[in-house]
Amino acid sequence: MPAPLNLIGQRFGRLVVVERAANGAAGQTRWLCSCDCGTPTVVSTMSLRAKRTPTRSCGCLKRDADARWIESNTKHGDAPHDGERSPEYSAWAAAIQRCTNPENQSFKNYGARGISVCARWLGNRGFTNFLADMGRRPSSKHSIDRINNDGNYEPSNCRWATAKQQARNKRHRRPRGAA
């Protein structure tokens, strides 16, 4: 009888096998791995040793590749050749204007209320970081939405949402004259 498979200490891309994990629902052998980025992840033997598309990270490899692609393909506000800005760029720029420009007609509902845009989404790499965090708009029916309306524009509080989703996510205002 062959010895049981032991992958502890072996490296697979950015993953190093730390210990055996509980078997999967279908009985497959799984391993707790530590990714080079510091994130622990559980992966099956089959996924680690796959010939075609083996698992090589906790997911950070794809995020890094996506960020590199965005960086190399984003110029001048993510503008296509006809000079128009992408919907993602427009949403990002509008959020910054609402929060930072007192001349913007929506400033009173955003910046004046203390709502800000996170530092990661500002500055030279601001749009690149925004796009890496938020991804492309899923459809023309989606726009940027803050999950907590009193919260800031930041990755943990933003999503692409439809008008219907956003209608359920509004501030409750007191009627005029109410105490």
Side-chain angles (χ1 to χ4, degrees):
M1 181 174 203
L5 185 64
N6 184 356
L7 300 180
I8 295 173
Q10 290 188 38
R11 177 174 283 278
F12 297 87
R14 292 183 177 185
L15 299 175
V16 175
V17 178
V18 176
E19 63 185 38
R20 176 101 187 255
N23 284 351
Q28 70 272 33
T29 303
R30 298 185 329 158
W31 303 91
L32 173 63
C33 300
S34 176
C35 188
D36 288 350
C37 74
T39 304
T41 189
V42 175
V43 184
S44 72
T45 302
M46 189 180 339
S47 293
L48 288 171
R49 301 177 93 191
K51 297 258 188 251
R52 288 182 150 233
T53 54
T55 301
R56 293 290 177 244
S57 75
C58 66
C60 66
L61 193 59
K62 180 174 178 356
R63 284 190 304 272
D64 290 353
D66 288 349
R68 282 192 302 277
W69 184 90
I70 289 166
E71 179 70 27
S72 66
N73 289 286
T74 302
K75 294 181 183 136
H76 310 296
D78 198 29
H81 297 295
D82 62 7
E84 288 195 25
R85 292 180 170 171
S86 71
E88 295 83 5
Y89 184 89
S90 295
W92 168 78
I96 291 172
Q97 283 296 305
R98 288 190 293 269
C99 294
T100 63
N101 182 0
E103 301 298 315
N104 184 286
Q105 71 183 62
S106 296
F107 181 79
K108 67 179 184 269
N109 295 316
Y110 293 86
R113 285 182 45 224
I115 294 169
S116 64
V117 177
C118 68
R120 179 172 162 74
W121 291 356
L122 297 172
N124 279 348
R125 295 185 41 84
F127 176 67
T128 301
N129 292 336
F130 171 82
L131 199 53
D133 292 341
M134 295 300 299
R136 294 281 175 191
R137 183 173 72 151
S139 79
S140 61
K141 295 180 179 178
H142 288 78
S143 60
I144 197 75
D145 180 46
R146 286 172 301 113
I147 298 162
N148 171 357
N149 279 312
D150 294 320
N152 296 325
Y153 284 96
E154 57 193 1
S156 63
N157 192 44
C158 288
R159 64 181 176 179
W160 292 111
T162 63
K164 187 175 183 179
Q165 290 170 312
Q166 290 187 34
R168 292 189 299 253
N169 189 26
K170 289 189 175 183
R171 278 192 298 157
H172 297 289
R173 299 176 195 225
R174 280 189 260 186
R176 290 183 189 251

